[in-house]
Amino acid sequence: MTNNFKLWWKKFVIFCRDVFHWFFPYHIFEEEPMEFNFVRIQKKERYDIKKHFLSFSIKSKDDVFKYGFFIMIIAFFFLMPYLSRNVGVSTREWDQNEYSEAVCRYYHDGDTSFRQMPQYVTKGQLADIVLVSVTKSLGFNNIFRFKHRLSALLGACLIAVVGLFLAKIVSWRCAFFCSLFLFCTPRFLGYTFGNFNDTLFALAFYFTLIEIWLLCYDFPMIKWSRLVFICIGMLAATTTSLSGFSLVFFFALFVLIYFFFKNPMGKFFTRQYMASLLTLIIIVAGISLIVVVGNIVLSPGFRLSDLHHGDNFMQ
């Protein structure tokens, strides 16, 4: 009992010390400003070998949960579409489908009636519009059943993305149980089974936030693939709904705060500090511009003036 108490007390002291360094980091007065390096491949030595996704060994109890996690995720990819086969159609989903069909009529016949529909306020639904157009061309009788199956697959992808992220930052045990509890949540299953647009938006939004976190984690190294994934995630979210543009704000906020937090404030006016800060600002501005231009090209009726209306982001 005494040894266990000492062990937990030691962990508590280490935790308190880490928290103290979060708010009062000693390195901001001792280290040099970071210098960004653009790389294609991440060095493997930066990560713990037991957390590699493709390592086949049972060296710890955590490895058992790793294999259990992958088996569970594979089962979800078959089970979730099967469970969604008898899901009904909600009013929200019906209205979104009507809007997608109206946009398809605009491209085929020039009918502009979609501009008077409530969904036009939030623009987006690009994936749903493409899906409706393809299914109509192929002669699908029940488009909603196909949407539900596809939405369930996206829900399984969302569980997998969340689990892999937790495996990276915590452990495979955490990834296993959190993914299992997420699957057992009725509200989560209800949304993933019954609304393709919302599930796609949730997947793109969370995926982008993870990539932003990993980008900061890798500083001062910047992977080109990470920037590409952030662009893809933002485009997927913003072309689904204007609410996705909040990711641009989060991207700039998190990256700049992390940069200021990890660099010595006493060397703010040095050449290296300013060069790194300018590089980061160019990256944020460049990705934001790509996302805006992508929406102008891809989203029906999108205008820059839509970003000035705050109510659009709450739709």
Side-chain angles (χ1 to χ4, degrees):
M1 184 67 180
T2 304
N3 293 333
N4 291 335
F5 177 78
K6 290 181 178 179
L7 179 61
W8 283 104
W9 176 255
K10 184 178 180 180
K11 292 182 178 180
F12 177 75
V13 172
I14 295 175
F15 173 77
C16 292
R17 185 180 60 187
D18 292 340
V19 171
F20 176 80
H21 286 157
W22 293 346
F23 294 97
F24 302 96
Y26 54 84
H27 61 268
I28 65 174
F29 302 105
E30 299 178 0
E31 297 183 357
E32 294 295 325
M34 64 175 59
E35 181 179 358
F36 292 118
N37 299 312
F38 291 88
V39 297
R40 293 184 179 181
I41 302 175
Q42 183 68 44
K43 292 182 178 180
K44 297 182 178 180
E45 296 89 293
R46 288 175 59 87
Y47 303 106
D48 189 354
I49 186 65
K50 72 177 182 179
K51 292 184 179 180
H52 282 180
F53 295 160
L54 300 179
S55 60
F56 297 95
S57 63
I58 304 180
K59 296 182 179 180
S60 66
K61 295 180 180 179
D62 203 42
D63 288 329
V64 177
F65 288 99
K66 176 176 63 176
Y67 303 133
F69 170 80
F70 282 114
I71 294 174
M72 182 174 62
I73 292 298
I74 293 174
F76 288 166
F77 274 100
F78 291 96
L79 183 60
M80 292 181 68
Y82 174 77
L83 295 176
S84 67
R85 68 191 189 283
N86 293 324
V87 175
V89 180
S90 64
T91 303
R92 176 181 174 86
E93 187 180 11
W94 183 273
D95 293 339
Q96 290 176 343
N97 190 76
E98 290 291 322
Y99 175 75
S100 297
E101 291 182 349
V103 174
C104 291
R105 288 195 299 270
Y106 167 74
Y107 285 109
H108 286 90
D109 307 324
D111 184 8
T112 59
S113 60
F114 75 98
R115 295 177 179 174
Q116 282 71 47
M117 303 179 71
Q119 288 75 22
Y120 182 71
V121 176
T122 57
K123 307 298 187 298
Q125 291 191 209
L126 175 64
D128 192 73
I129 295 170
V130 174
L131 184 62
V132 169
S133 178
V134 171
T135 52
K136 282 187 171 295
S137 301
L138 296 178
F140 275 69
N141 294 325
N142 193 336
I143 186 174
F144 291 105
R145 179 175 296 178
F146 180 74
K147 281 187 176 183
H148 293 165
R149 300 288 176 83
L150 188 58
S151 180
L153 288 175
L154 293 177
C157 291
L158 180 57
I159 295 178
V161 169
V162 173
L164 292 175
F165 178 65
L166 292 174
K168 181 176 183 61
I169 65 174
V170 186
S171 66
W172 286 108
R173 180 180 301 184
C174 178
F176 177 85
F177 284 108
C178 287
S179 300
L180 179 61
F181 294 153
L182 189 60
F183 173 77
C184 296
T185 305
R187 190 176 185 88
F188 174 80
L189 290 183
Y191 273 106
T192 55
F193 288 171
N195 198 307
F196 170 75
N197 287 291
D198 290 351
T199 308
L200 175 61
F201 180 81
L203 176 60
F205 199 92
Y206 194 84
F207 174 79
T208 306
L209 290 179
I210 291 176
E211 290 299 322
I212 293 174
W213 187 94
L214 293 174
L215 177 68
C216 295
Y217 179 82
D218 287 335
F219 279 171
M221 289 185 293
I222 298 178
K223 296 176 63 176
W224 287 107
S225 59
R226 193 79 67 203
L227 300 180
V228 172
F229 288 150
I230 291 175
C231 283
I232 294 175
M234 285 188 179
L235 283 173
T238 54
T239 55
T240 302
S241 173
L242 278 179
S243 302
F245 275 97
S246 59
L247 284 170
V248 177
F249 169 76
F250 290 142
F251 179 47
L253 179 67
F254 294 159
V255 169
L256 291 176
I257 287 180
Y258 187 84
F259 176 82
F260 289 129
F261 183 76
K262 296 294 291 185
N263 283 276
M265 296 301 296
K267 299 182 180 180
F268 181 83
F269 295 100
T270 60
R271 178 180 300 180
Q272 182 57 53
Y273 196 105
M274 289 300 173
S276 298
L277 179 59
L278 180 61
T279 302
L280 200 59
I281 293 176
I282 291 175
I283 292 174
V284 173
I287 291 180
S288 302
L289 181 62
I290 292 174
V291 172
V292 172
V293 173
N295 276 267
I296 293 175
V297 175
L298 299 174
S299 295
F302 176 81
R303 302 183 302 272
L304 290 177
S305 58
D306 296 325
L307 300 178
H308 294 287
H309 303 292
D311 292 341
N312 293 351
F313 292 90
M314 304 303 295
Q315 301 294 327

